[in-house]
């Protein structure tokens, strides 16, 4: 008989139930497209390794970290914050000012080449980065130093991955993605915001297999961005039958018809929203009757606009 799956002691102490822990491991297997036989290995990986993570917030709306911590089931954030050793994060850390700066300096010096950097937000580059500063340092200077010394950099959100809304025309601060601003190759988890399950699954993949997941040519993990929204959409049959919502609130909307004529960009957008959904699998934009606006594609604020005008 298989040996029962051990629950990490740290989580028991925190009051996370065994049921929630197993749910978490099952969810990770699903997001990563792994068979359920991987669940014990995911549990084992979660129990033993705690990579140091430096989480930087650059020019952004904080929606990405909100997406991550405001899950409807608080145990997801509990487990993740336990699986990683979060050394620095301006939004949720208790330290501030000089004390926070010291922690960052110390982590970069002592864990050089070993820590994971998670980046949110784009970097203003105009006038040497003067339009984005934290504690007297430009985001450009601070982020460049942290990502150059990291084992890997994971960009969460379309802003850090591709520039996002910060880089939308006319882009007065000349905001750029982390990779374009620093010259360092990054793993990109785009979306405005990205789905927390995809962020976490990337870290779990790293813990489980000791390497980052396979990526597409835009640095996006294939397990999450390997197929189009349109290919997995529950309204696809209506698209093929040319049954469309023509105006919001019409009879077609009541029947769940395709949203292409009210602007859906699902045929041009790579993401797994129809499969894993949002808010712990409750629903997703198209499921709720709103067209996909292509939030995980490069330059979507310009390239996918106008959002409510038919393209297909
Ligand atoms: Fe951008 Fe994220 Fe959109 Fe907001 O950190 S991807 S504006 S949800 O907050 O960066
Ligand atoms: Fe494709 Fe959008 Fe229609 Fe779904 S609603 S079938 S993603 S065009
Ligand atoms: Fe974004 Fe489209 Fe998903 S707008 S959240 S990629 S359905």
């Amino acid at each position: 008989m298989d040996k029962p799956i051990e629950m990490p002691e740290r989580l028991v102490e925190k009051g996370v139930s065994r049921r929630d822990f197993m749910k978490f491991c099952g969810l990770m297997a699903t997001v990563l497209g792994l068979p359920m036989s991987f669940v014990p290995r995911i549990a084992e990986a979660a129990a033993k390794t705690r990579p140091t993570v430096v989480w930087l917030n650059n020019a952004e709306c904080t929606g990405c970290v909100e997406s991550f911590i405001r899950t409807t089931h608080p145990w997801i954030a509990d487990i993740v914050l336990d699986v990683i050793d979060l050394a620095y994060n301006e939004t949720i850390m208790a330290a501030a000012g000089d004390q926070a700066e010291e922690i960052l300096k110390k982590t970069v010096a002592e864990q050089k080449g070993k820590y994971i950097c998670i980046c949110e937000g784009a970097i203003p580059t105009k006038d040497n980065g003067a339009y984005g500063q934290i504690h007297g340092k430009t985001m450009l200077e601070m982020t460049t130093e942290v990502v150059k010394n990291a084992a890997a950099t994971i960009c969460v959100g379309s802003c850090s991955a591709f520039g996002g809304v910060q880089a939308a025309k006319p882009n007065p601060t000349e905001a750029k993605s982390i990779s374009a601003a620093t010259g360092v190759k990054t793993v990109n988890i785009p979306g405005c915001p990205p789905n927390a399950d995809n962020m976490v699954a990337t870290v779990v993949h790293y813990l489980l297999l000791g390497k980052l997941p396979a990526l597409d040519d835009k640095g996006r993990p294939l397990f999450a961005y390997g197929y189009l929204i349109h290919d997995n959409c529950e309204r696809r049959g209506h698209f093929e039958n040319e049954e469309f919502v023509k105006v919001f609130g019409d009879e077609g909307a009541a029947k769940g018809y395709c949203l292409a004529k009210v602007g859906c960009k699902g045929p041009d957008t790579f993401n797994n929203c129809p499969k894993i959904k949002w808010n712990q699998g409750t629903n997703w934009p198209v499921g709720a009757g709103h067209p996909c606006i292509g939030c995980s594609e490069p330059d979507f604020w310009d390239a996918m606009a106008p959002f409510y005008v038919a393209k297909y």
Side-chain angles (χ1 to χ4, degrees):
M1 208 177 100
D2 287 343
K3 145 162 134 344
I5 293 165
E6 299 260 344
M7 168 114 176
E9 199 53 42
R10 297 188 308 263
L11 287 172
V12 178
E13 279 162 18
K14 270 193 172 174
V16 174
S17 74
R18 182 178 176 78
R19 190 164 167 265
D20 288 342
F21 180 64
M22 294 319 294
K23 261 204 228 165
F24 168 78
C25 296
L27 173 70
M28 287 301 106
T30 308
V31 177
L32 288 167
L34 296 169
M36 283 301 139
S37 55
F38 265 78
V39 166
R41 286 184 58 193
I42 292 175
E44 230 175 83
K48 61 173 192 219
T49 354
R50 294 183 90 201
T52 301
V53 172
V54 173
W55 188 315
L56 299 179
N57 295 88
N58 293 298
E60 36 113 9
C61 79
T62 318
C64 301
V65 79
E66 289 284 335
S67 163
F68 169 66
I69 56 176
R70 303 242 181 263
T71 51
T72 44
H73 293 308
W75 48 267
I76 292 236
D78 271 355
I79 293 172
V80 173
L81 291 175
D82 192 83
V83 163
I84 62 172
D85 177 9
L86 187 60
Y88 183 89
N89 177 299
E90 287 136 12
T91 313
I92 57 176
M93 74 195 292
D98 292 344
Q99 206 189 357
E101 169 91 355
E102 265 317 299
I103 295 172
L104 181 62
K105 251 202 225 153
K106 200 165 166 258
T107 310
V108 171
E110 289 175 5
Q111 306 258 358
K112 199 172 171 169
K114 291 190 209 136
Y115 63 86
I116 296 179
C117 174
I118 297 184
C119 277
E120 279 185 70
I123 305 209
T125 63
K126 195 175 178 182
D127 298 333
N128 277 331
Y131 306 109
Q133 303 198 24
I134 297 167
H135 202 249
K137 261 195 184 173
T138 65
M139 290 170 177
L140 180 60
E141 187 189 352
M142 188 170 154
T143 304
T144 304
E145 202 196 331
V146 176
V147 302
K148 287 215 157 136
N149 291 303
T153 295
I154 302 172
C155 287
V156 296
S158 294
C159 298
S160 55
F162 303 134
V165 67
Q166 330 298 331
K169 286 178 191 145
N171 193 1
T173 66
E174 287 171 20
K176 292 184 178 165
S177 69
I178 303 300
S179 152
T182 66
V184 173
K185 210 171 158 222
T186 58
V187 175
N188 295 328
I189 319 279
C192 190
N195 195 311
D197 296 348
N198 290 333
M199 307 181 204
V200 179
T202 302
V203 175
V204 167
H205 186 286
Y206 185 76
L207 292 178
L208 188 64
L209 303 170
K211 58 178 186 183
L212 290 162
L215 308 174
D216 72 3
D217 62 350
K218 295 183 177 70
R220 301 178 292 197
L222 286 169
F223 71 79
Y225 302 91
Y227 30 83
L228 290 165
I229 293 277
H230 192 55
D231 289 343
N232 292 305
C233 179
E234 65 251 30
R235 298 183 189 233
R236 178 63 183 263
H238 295 301
F239 176 88
E240 300 302 336
N241 291 339
E242 299 186 11
E243 292 164 344
F244 299 109
V245 173
K246 295 191 183 79
V247 213
F248 289 111
D250 70 3
E251 209 192 322
K255 289 182 173 158
Y257 283 180
C258 169
L259 299 162
K261 302 295 178 216
V262 284
C264 186
K265 306 298 188 298
D268 279 336
T269 305
F270 288 90
N271 209 334
N272 56 358
C273 308
K275 282 184 117 182
I276 63 165
K277 303 187 177 171
W278 286 78
N279 301 327
Q280 272 62 57
T282 313
N283 209 344
W284 66 294
V286 170
H290 193 281
C292 169
I293 60 169
C295 80
S296 52
E297 288 300 314
D299 305 322
F300 82 97
W301 290 100
D302 297 321
M304 299 292 182
F307 292 142
Y308 297 106
V309 171
K311 197 178 161 196
Y312 316 97

